[in-house]
Each structure stands twice: as C-alpha cells, then as structure tokens.
Amino acid sequence: SGLVRRAAADGRMTQAVELLRTVAAILPGFSSADGLGDLADPVRLAAGDRAPRLVCLPSPMALGGAHQYARFARHFQGRRDVLVPTVPGFGPGEALPLSVDAVVEVVVEGIRRSCPDGRPYVLLGYSSGGQFAHAAAEIMEKAGQPASGVVLLDTYLPGDDGKDELWRQMFDGMLDRESSLGGFGTARLAAMSRYSDLIQDCLPGALTAPVLFVRPRESFATGTDDWRAEWPAEHEPADVPGTHFTILEDHAEATAAAVDAWLTRMPAG
C-alpha cells in the first residue's frame, strides 16, 4: 500500500495499477458463490414498514462498505428498511471474484437475504456499485423477483478514454479519505484493482424497472470540464448538492430526500 501511495504521488498511476493487479492475481479467487464459502448477512442500517425497502450496494473500491450509507440511512430510520449486502474481497484473507458473473451471483444472494418476506424492494448502487446493482436487477427480473426500481448514485460507465485526469483526481479523493477507515490495507487496494478491471465488462443490459439517476451539482475535480456522469438508457434524472464524494457525506440527507421523494411517487405494490 505504501508503494501505491508513492507511485500515485509521483504521477505514476500506470505502475501503481499494475502493482495492484499483480497482488490481486496472487490472492485467492472465487468463480461462484459456492466457491466463496460462508456469505456474511446483509447489514441493516435502518428499519421501517414502508415499501419499498432499499437494498444498497456500496462502491466496490477502497472506500467501499456499508459505512458509506450510514448518514444516508438516517433519513429512513423508522420508515423504510435500508440493508447493505456484502461485496466480497475487501477484508484480509477474503477471496477475490474472478468474473463479473461471480460478483453478480453473490450480490443476488445478498438481495434475496435482504428480502426474505417478498416485500417490494428497490436496488441502489453508489458509483461503480451502480453497475452491479443494475446487473443484479436484470438477473432478478428474469428470475421473476423484479426490483420495483433501480437508483444509481453518480455511476460512471467505463470506456471514456478522455477522462484520465478525472480518474486520477478521483483516486486522489479516495486517498484523501482513507483515514476514515484507518488506512487502506493490501486487501482493500487489491480488491479495488480487481473490481476496476471487472467493471469494464459489466455494462447495462435490458431492464424493465424504472431507473433514477442521481448526480451531484459540483465537481470534485479541478481543471476538467467533462466531469458529469451520463446514463445511456431511459431514466429519471435528479441533481443533488455536493460532489461525487460528498453526496453520501455532508450532503447525504439531501441525497436521501431526493431518493425518498422518487420512492414515494412509485405506485404501491
């Protein structure tokens, strides 16, 4: 992790990424949920009887985890369930996914554990976690257990080679926040590397459920004009205060209120 920080500080991101890929290749991997072993239960951050409940996927990056939704979930306490399934590979000794299918299989199992009673649910994903939320929604829809909707919080799709400076500043933004987790260990950095590769092949497919696409009004990056995320499929847009990072930090309440307003407009059932 120290070498990665040094490389990032020196502007050698390519070397940092290659180092993390090498580490990830050495660590154990899984190709299905069965190969992962025991799956941790979803983390409940809020409880309430109002439908639909929210099942939230964190960003599969170094900052990721249920803690990302702590402030967001306060808005729903006593009104809606808010649960966060496990995204594996970020803890010491945890195996890393070997494919997109392996990740989605684990996410789908987490969704089913979050919704054991058949009540309506909405999937929500932050940053690149939105890609896996959308992919899981596609699977659940085909399985006859569809989500009532999908919420994407500032999800950037891969494939835009003109945003190198934006990605560099996004990485810097993560490093600026690592003290909130007590530092990034090898497991978190290696997992980020693996997921960064997998999201290249996790592009959105056909989905019937409505999509809310939430974007911040401010850029976290300096000197870049083309900073706003775009979603190519049909969706309802919502702009909220803050940046890519602060929509779930200082401005989490405003983000939650925008999501809640959309949920409230949904037809019952």
Side-chain angles (χ1 to χ4, degrees), residues 26-98:
I26 295 171
L27 295 175
F30 68 92
S31 55
S32 69
D34 290 340
L36 182 59
D38 292 336
L39 183 64
D41 287 332
V43 176
R44 181 183 294 275
L45 295 179
D49 295 331
R50 189 174 299 180
R53 63 163 47 100
L54 277 170
V55 181
C56 303
L57 295 186
S59 166
M61 297 293 146
L63 283 172
H67 56 273
Q68 288 184 304
Y69 291 108
R71 299 187 197 182
F72 174 86
R74 290 175 194 162
H75 177 89
F76 300 97
Q77 184 58 48
R79 298 187 298 119
R80 293 187 195 275
D81 287 345
V82 178
L83 299 109
V84 184
T86 296
V87 176
F90 289 86
E94 291 184 9
L96 295 174
L98 297 174

Side-chain angles (χ1 to χ4, degrees), residues 139-154:
I139 296 295
M140 294 296 285
E141 199 165 88
K142 292 173 184 175
Q145 300 171 301
S148 298
V150 175
V151 178
L152 306 172
L153 301 183
D154 210 31

Side-chain angles (χ1 to χ4, degrees), residues 249-264:
E249 296 173 347
D250 296 342
H251 298 287
E253 170 61 27
T255 302
V259 172
D260 200 16
W262 186 69
L263 298 177
T264 302

